[in-house]
Amino acid sequence: ADAAGMSAIAAVVMSATTFAGSAQFAVTSILGGAGSAAAAIAAAVLLNARYAPISISVASLFRGPRLRRLLESQLIVDESWALAARGGRFDRRILLGAGLLLYVSWVSGTAVGALAGDALGDPKDFGLDGAFPALFLALLVTQVRTRMAAGAALAGAAIALALIPVTPPGMPIVVASAACLLGLRWRR
């Protein structure tokens, strides 16, 4: 955020209102590279489109007034969704509890980074540039328990890898997740 010219307060506000790390990284890199606000918003929307199939899979867990469902649904992120998966079902308490813990950690971490990041040095010195891929791989491993799940994971990976060199950032993951969602629908 600092490299993109954002103030510490702007970075923290963005983390608090946009609880989506990949979208935040895309926005800051586009704005930092003199890209337009429209391009940054488009990238964020494309990256977050993956939450459509994720949200569909847990929609039945959310009950009550619309505002409550809207607020609780903000805690659906890749990690909370994967942790809540229990043999084809989802545990609402784990989904919301993990999401809340992640939210507090994300916003707090942004605040620490924005205010004291220079004192910590280069994130690559700590191997943090490999943290996100490792996290997503660990989450995937817990989900691949059947041949169908393994096939979906491999197909999604193949689609994403094929699209990386020819599509804008964010599009490969959106297309791969949509293809897996379509595969699930055809199976029924």
Side-chain angles (χ1 to χ4, degrees):
D2 183 56
M6 293 176 70
S7 69
I9 290 177
V12 173
V13 168
M14 186 164 116
S15 280
T17 59
T18 310
F19 182 36
S22 58
Q24 287 180 265
F25 286 119
V27 166
T28 56
S29 66
I30 290 169
L31 294 177
S36 70
I41 291 168
V45 168
L46 286 173
L47 283 166
N48 287 337
R50 73 184 186 280
Y51 289 119
I54 288 173
S55 296
I56 290 167
S57 72
V58 295
S60 64
L61 300 178
F62 294 88
R63 305 214 189 288
R66 184 173 290 174
L67 180 59
R68 177 182 173 177
R69 292 189 322 255
L70 175 67
L71 292 173
E72 289 178 345
S73 70
Q74 302 309 302
L75 301 175
I76 303 169
V77 292
D78 303 298
E79 298 85 356
S80 65
W81 179 83
L83 290 172
R86 299 285 184 244
R89 298 179 187 262
F90 293 90
D91 185 314
R92 181 179 185 277
R93 291 180 305 156
I94 292 175
L95 179 72
L96 296 178
L100 184 59
L101 179 64
L102 289 163
Y103 178 79
V104 170
S105 299
W106 184 254
V107 176
S108 300
T110 300
V112 169
L115 298 172
D118 290 337
L120 299 174
D122 188 350
K124 290 180 181 176
D125 293 342
F126 300 103
L128 296 179
D129 53 330
F132 280 118
L135 167 72
F136 285 111
L137 185 57
L139 292 173
L140 176 66
V141 167
T142 65
Q143 300 299 312
V144 180
R145 296 185 180 157
T146 66
R147 283 186 177 192
M148 181 177 222
L154 290 172
I159 290 167
L161 286 172
L163 293 177
I164 285 172
V166 295
T167 61
M171 187 58 77
I173 190 72
V174 172
V175 174
S177 64
C180 290
L181 184 62
L182 287 173
L184 179 63
R185 177 147 174 90
W186 284 333
R187 188 190 105 181
R188 293 181 181 175

